Amino acid sequence: MADREWDLLDGVFAPPFSPSTGVAMELLGLAGSDREPWRGSFLEVGCGTGIIAVSAALAGCDRVTALDVSEQAVRNTGMNAARHGVADRVKVLHSDLFDGLAGGDGADGLAGGERFDTVYWHSNFVLAPSAYRYETMHERAYVDPGYRAHRRFLAEAPSYLAGGGRVLLHFSDRGDLASLHAIAEECGRELRALRGRSDREGEDAVEHTLFEIASAG
């Protein structure tokens, strides 16, 4: 992917079997004809294999932090950062959303108060009933019971921004956009569509949108 080879561990979301990671790379300007240089610091929630986090470092970000609730994904991202020579700029933490940041102590995690120029999440956009329980770790890449994770992201992500920074959310029309807008309004946030792309997954056309999250009003 993106003219590079990547390590993929068992149990980690597999980009070869879904176009969504490639779409994310294009929406972010990290691949294809829209590839552009990046600067500053980058925080990715749900890093999986680390393709996006590592690509952000390769594109010019001087400080990248990658978070994932899966310990296997944390290992996978670390492997790919080392493979592509950016392990000195990519820090990987085991974290449920931002929990690994808030609990950082400067040794095993991050010091409190650290901020980023870009906070990004390719969300688990499939809405499930609030009582749904995951049967596998892999489901966490797709399913969010009651959109609890989305509510937390919308409420908390801006607090990790540096001045002039931006919060980005990659969403899909396989998710419930009306519910997302309703939650954003409850959190005092506004969803601003930056760019989109339609792609095929099997027989279905899926519309992907990159949103910027801003304070309402």
Side-chain angles (χ1 to χ4, degrees), residues 137-159:
M137 179 63 72
H138 191 67
E139 290 182 6
R140 290 177 178 268
Y142 295 98
V143 178
D144 182 11
Y147 271 0
R148 288 190 294 269
H150 284 79
R151 183 179 295 275
R152 276 195 63 192
F153 184 81
L154 290 167
E156 298 175 20
S159 66

Side-chain angles (χ1 to χ4, degrees), residues 7-196:
D7 290 305
L8 173 63
L9 297 180
D10 289 342
V12 179
F13 176 82
F17 303 121
S18 170
S20 60
T21 301
V23 171
M25 293 279 284
E26 293 189 14
L27 290 176
L28 290 168
L30 291 171
S33 59
D34 294 328
R35 187 175 297 181
E36 57 190 45
W38 280 61
R39 297 289 181 268
S41 53
F42 183 88
L43 173 65
E44 182 184 13
V45 177
C47 55
T49 56
I51 290 176
I52 290 173
V54 170
S55 295
L58 291 169
C61 287
D62 54 23
R63 179 168 56 90
V64 176
T65 299
L67 312 176
D68 206 290
V69 71
S70 164
E71 293 182 348
Q72 188 80 326
V74 170
R75 287 191 289 272
N76 205 155
T77 296
M79 291 172 63
N80 280 318
R83 180 181 185 124
H84 293 288
V86 292
D88 60 331
R89 284 182 281 147
V90 178
K91 185 178 186 69
V92 194
L93 297 174
H94 181 229
S95 179
D96 185 355
L97 285 175
F98 303 106
D99 290 348
L101 299 179
D105 59 7
D108 297 325
L110 292 174
E114 190 159 0
R115 301 290 183 263
F116 301 87
D117 296 303
T118 301
V119 176
Y120 169 76
W121 183 32
H122 182 171
S123 77
N124 50 347
F125 42 71
V126 176
L127 175 62
S130 296
Y132 183 83
R133 295 292 180 265
Y134 296 113
E135 295 184 2
T136 67
M137 179 63 72
H138 191 67
E139 290 182 6
R140 290 177 178 268
Y142 295 98
V143 178
D144 182 11
Y147 271 0
R148 288 190 294 269
H150 284 79
R151 183 179 295 275
R152 276 195 63 192
F153 184 81
L154 290 167
E156 298 175 20
S159 66
Y160 293 93
L161 284 182
R166 57 183 182 168
V167 176
L168 302 178
L169 173 66
H170 179 165
F171 201 72
S172 159
D173 65 358
R174 285 184 166 175
D176 189 327
L177 186 57
S179 292
L180 184 68
H181 275 285
I183 293 170
E185 184 175 356
E186 292 169 13
C187 294
R189 310 297 185 208
E190 179 183 348
L191 303 175
R192 299 174 181 171
L194 297 181
R195 58 185 69 96

